[in-house]
Amino acid sequence: MNAPAQAARTRRSRNWGHFFGQVGWLETAGIVGVLLITLVAIFANWLTPYDPMLRVADSYLPPTLEHFFGTDEIGRDLFSRVLLGVQYTWLPGIGVIAVTLLFGGFLGLVAGAVGGWVDTLILRFVELFLVLPSTLIALAVVAALGPGLLNTMIAITIFWWPWYARICRDEIRRLNTRPHVEAARVSGVGGMRLILRYLLPGAIPTLLVAATLDVANIILTMSLMSFLGLGQPAPAPELGAMSSRALESLTVYWWLPIMPAAVIFFMCFVANLAGDGIRAALRGA
């Protein structure tokens, strides 16, 4: 291996070592957990031991080595349905985060970089959404559009993007006063070059931290709407809907509502740990 390639490899190793050096073991486990959950969500259709839509055993079997989470009222394997439910909850949540981050971040970037009446106009538009009762608006949107996963994602996206717009706008305005940006502006750097080279890279870490910490909130919101019957209609294995439909069986067949709810809790817990770890690493950097 030649010297430049070896040096580049050494720098990458030091960067990763520095990154994980800023993160505790619990947060590192959270980051690894997020990656594993993402892989499970992507390959859920191939990981399910049984067909999640078909009867495979007697009804209301408790958890066993053959059926890890037991079976439901029809005799479907609950573990297989929960695995597919992770896909129905996790991937749409990540999709909502991506769309709202891009849209809100773009508006915030324009507002903070351009300033003047453009900043005022965008800021008033953002504040209009921020003062509205977001959860009620989302429920009203889904009720108007009809139950369904896509409609749920649209409803959450409508009221989630303003937070990223506000964060990005404030961060860009803060960076505009930094000495290195002022020096670049004095030396003749302006327009898109100033934005792409000096402003946007400085705002990305803050947006990334906000997005990672919001994953759990998005998952909880989607699960809540599913719990209220505004997600995919039955027999789709959405985790919130599965817990809701089996809630009356809690004292008798406890595994039916508890197992999906426990998986929701686990995903939120892991996402929060990963968000705390990424925040600590970026601040340490």
Side-chain angles (χ1 to χ4, degrees):
M1 183 179 296
N2 56 40
Q6 180 66 38
R9 182 176 180 180
T10 302
R11 282 196 302 271
R12 287 194 297 269
S13 299
R14 288 177 179 174
N15 289 338
W16 282 111
H18 177 74
F19 178 86
F20 286 107
Q22 303 293 328
V23 181
W25 67 269
L26 195 59
E27 288 79 10
T28 302
I31 295 173
V32 174
V34 163
L35 296 177
L36 291 177
I37 292 173
T38 303
L39 290 175
V40 168
I42 293 173
F43 299 105
N45 291 320
W46 293 275
L47 294 175
T48 53
Y50 300 94
D51 190 321
M53 301 299 179
L54 298 179
R55 176 187 175 96
V56 296
D58 294 334
S59 304
Y60 297 116
L61 290 180
T64 62
L65 291 178
E66 185 178 1
H67 302 284
F68 299 138
F69 289 178
T71 60
D72 62 10
E73 67 280 3
I74 299 177
R76 297 171 296 196
D77 182 62
L78 191 60
F79 179 73
S80 299
R81 290 181 62 76
V82 167
L83 276 183
L84 197 58
V86 172
Q87 183 182 79
Y88 275 77
T89 303
W90 185 264
L91 294 184
I94 299 299
V96 169
I97 287 286
V99 172
T100 54
L101 184 61
L102 289 174
F103 182 69
F106 173 75
L107 285 184
L109 179 64
V110 172
V114 176
W117 66 269
V118 175
D119 178 33
T120 302
L121 181 64
I122 293 178
L123 186 59
R124 295 297 174 266
F125 183 61
V126 168
E127 290 175 346
L128 174 65
F129 281 86
L130 290 177
V131 299
L132 295 174
S134 55
T135 304
L136 292 179
I137 295 298
L139 292 174
V141 170
V142 177
L145 296 177
L149 183 58
L150 180 60
N151 293 341
T152 299
M153 294 174 65
I154 292 173
I156 297 176
T157 301
I158 286 174
F159 73 82
W160 213 277
W161 66 266
W163 300 103
Y164 297 128
R166 187 65 180 267
I167 291 171
C168 186
R169 180 255 185 191
D170 293 344
E171 189 66 13
I172 293 297
R173 286 176 60 87
R174 183 187 69 83
L175 290 170
N176 260 322
T177 62
R178 297 296 297 271
H180 70 284
V181 177
E182 292 286 354
R185 189 178 288 110
V186 170
S187 65
V189 178
M192 290 301 297
R193 185 183 176 192
L194 181 69
I195 293 174
L196 296 178
R197 185 171 180 180
Y198 294 93
L199 296 179
L200 183 59
I204 286 178
T206 301
L207 288 171
L208 181 61
V209 169
T212 54
L213 293 173
D214 270 349
V215 172
N217 294 328
I218 290 286
I219 290 173
L220 282 177
T221 303
M222 295 191 67
S223 299
L224 171 63
M225 300 182 76
S226 173
F227 185 87
L228 296 175
L230 297 176
Q232 287 284 84
E238 279 194 329
L239 299 178
M242 290 166 64
S243 292
S244 175
R245 290 194 291 264
L247 196 58
E248 295 180 354
S249 306
L250 178 61
T251 57
V252 182
Y253 309 112
W254 58 268
W255 57 91
L256 294 181
I258 290 296
M259 293 303 185
V263 171
I264 294 173
F265 170 80
F266 176 76
M267 289 193 299
C268 293
F269 179 70
V270 169
N272 278 331
L273 285 180
D276 288 341
I278 293 174
R279 176 175 58 184
L282 292 177
R283 285 183 175 178

